[in-house]
């Protein structure tokens, strides 16, 4: 079965510190994409970062980086120098190629940044 | 930059009523999607359209129909609304259906069925 698991329902981090949000996935497809989305309290879904299954290097986008460990089937999101505006729900998602690129979402992690 | 626009933003229906959720994108994307998000859960795919003229079922299609009106517009219809369809509905689009293409989302429609 194709599945995304986010084991941390909620997390706290101190402002300016780094935080890692966990994501593990399960697929038999050798080709897939991994995505992270942010959902603030206002409700919109914001694309953050993408990692391809054949990419040799971990993806980075500004303060966001994706710690991709293919053998462990994990794709953790690292946010450096947390800001108050980072408080939101974060969703990990996978798009296996054999699913035609359709996204499978995890249940999300709620991050709260403390001043 | 409009991106993906959904209307309406909020709607309350009575059981058995019908309505259509509208979605339009201005990014010249080929693929479009409808998701629902229930409390404490991630998004689940209802229907998608790989390209203009095609539609396919996703994970939870029962009770819904879709129309890909043209390249820009993809609507979702509830023919006879049920309380179980109370949810937040998101429309999304991407350049293609390949697994390396990020999907861009609208702001969502909050739908309550009484």
């Amino acid at each position: 079965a194709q599945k995304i698991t986010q084991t941390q329902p909620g997390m706290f981090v101190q402002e300016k510190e780094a935080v890692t949000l966990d994501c593990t996935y399960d697929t038999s497809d050798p080709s897939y994409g991994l995505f992270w989305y942010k959902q603030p309290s206002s409700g919109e879904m914001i694309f953050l970062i993408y990692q391809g299954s054949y990419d040799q290097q971990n993806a980075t986008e500004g303060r966001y980086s994706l710690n991709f460990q293919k053998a462990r089937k994990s794709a953790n999101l690292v946010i450096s120098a947390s800001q108050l505006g980072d408080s939101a729900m974060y969703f990990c998602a996978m798009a296996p190629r054999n699913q035609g690129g359709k996204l499978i979402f995890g249940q999300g992690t709620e991050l709260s940044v403390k001043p | 930059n409009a991106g993906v626009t959904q209307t309406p933003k909020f709607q309350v229906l009575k059981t058995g009523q019908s309505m259509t959720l509208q979605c339009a994108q201005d990014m010249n994307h080929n693929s479009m999607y409808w998701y629902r998000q229930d409390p404490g859960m991630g998004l689940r795919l209802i229907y998608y359209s790989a390209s203009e003229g095609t539609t396919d079922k996703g994970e939870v299609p029962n009770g819904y129909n879709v129309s890909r009106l043209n390249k820009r517009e993809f609507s979702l219809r509830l023919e006879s609304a049920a309380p179980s369809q109370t949810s937040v509905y998101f429309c999304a689009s991407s350049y293609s259906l390949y697994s390396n293409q990020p999907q861009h989302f609208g702001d969502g429609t909050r739908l309550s069925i009484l």
Side-chain angles (χ1 to χ4, degrees):
Chain A
Q2 325 240 34
K3 189 178 178 181
I4 290 280
T5 302
Q6 295 180 253
T7 58
Q8 306 153 312
M11 289 191 69
F12 290 93
V13 64
Q14 204 68 34
E15 192 179 10
K16 300 181 184 178
E17 292 186 348
V19 62
T20 297
L21 306 184
D22 294 342
C23 173
T24 57
Y25 60 92
D26 188 17
T27 180
S28 58
D29 195 329
S31 179
Y32 48 88
L34 296 160
F35 302 82
W36 278 91
Y37 285 85
K38 173 183 178 181
Q39 186 177 41
S41 58
S42 50
E44 69 270 30
M45 295 286 289
I46 303 167
F47 166 67
L48 294 178
I49 195 166
Y50 161 79
Q51 179 85 42
S53 58
Y54 293 117
D55 292 343
Q56 295 297 312
Q57 293 190 332
N58 288 341
T60 61
E61 288 286 349
R63 294 187 299 111
Y64 303 108
S65 61
L66 200 152
N67 184 1
F68 181 45
Q69 298 187 40
K70 194 170 183 177
R72 298 180 60 185
K73 293 190 174 181
S74 73
N76 298 339
L77 177 70
V78 180
I79 306 174
S80 62
S82 297
Q83 302 173 356
L84 296 178
D86 294 334
S87 294
M89 283 290 288
Y90 288 82
F91 291 96
C92 181
M94 172 177 64
R97 189 173 180 86
N98 66 10
Q99 292 290 308
K102 297 186 293 294
L103 284 175
I104 301 166
F105 281 85
Q107 292 189 315
T109 295
E110 184 169 10
L111 177 67
S112 297
V113 180
K114 292 183 173 181
Chain B
N1 294 337
V4 179
T5 303
Q6 292 183 235
T7 55
K9 294 190 183 306
F10 302 93
Q11 186 71 46
V12 178
L13 293 178
K14 294 181 179 179
T15 298
Q17 287 185 317
S18 62
M19 83 160 294
T20 300
L21 307 185
Q22 306 286 354
C23 175
Q25 52 90 10
D26 64 1
M27 296 177 282
N28 200 33
H29 284 169
N30 294 297
S31 302
M32 298 185 73
Y33 315 80
W34 277 105
Y35 293 88
R36 61 177 288 173
Q37 183 180 28
D38 298 308
M41 298 182 68
L43 279 66
R44 293 182 294 168
L45 184 65
I46 304 171
Y47 270 93
Y48 68 100
S49 171
S51 60
E52 185 178 357
T54 69
T55 61
D56 283 289
K57 296 178 179 179
E59 182 184 356
V60 288
N62 291 345
Y64 306 95
N65 285 300
V66 291
S67 295
R68 184 73 182 268
L69 303 171
N70 47 55
K71 188 172 184 178
R72 292 186 62 248
E73 299 173 287
F74 189 39
S75 62
L76 178 72
R77 183 161 179 83
L78 287 70
E79 291 290 352
S80 179
S84 61
Q85 295 177 304
T86 293
S87 190
V88 181
Y89 290 84
F90 286 95
C91 177
S93 70
S94 63
Y95 181 73
S96 74
L97 207 56
Y98 290 115
S99 58
N100 64 345
Q101 297 295 318
Q103 295 179 20
H104 298 272
F105 287 78
D107 289 344
T109 295
R110 294 184 179 274
L111 184 60
S112 294
I113 316 294
L114 304 178

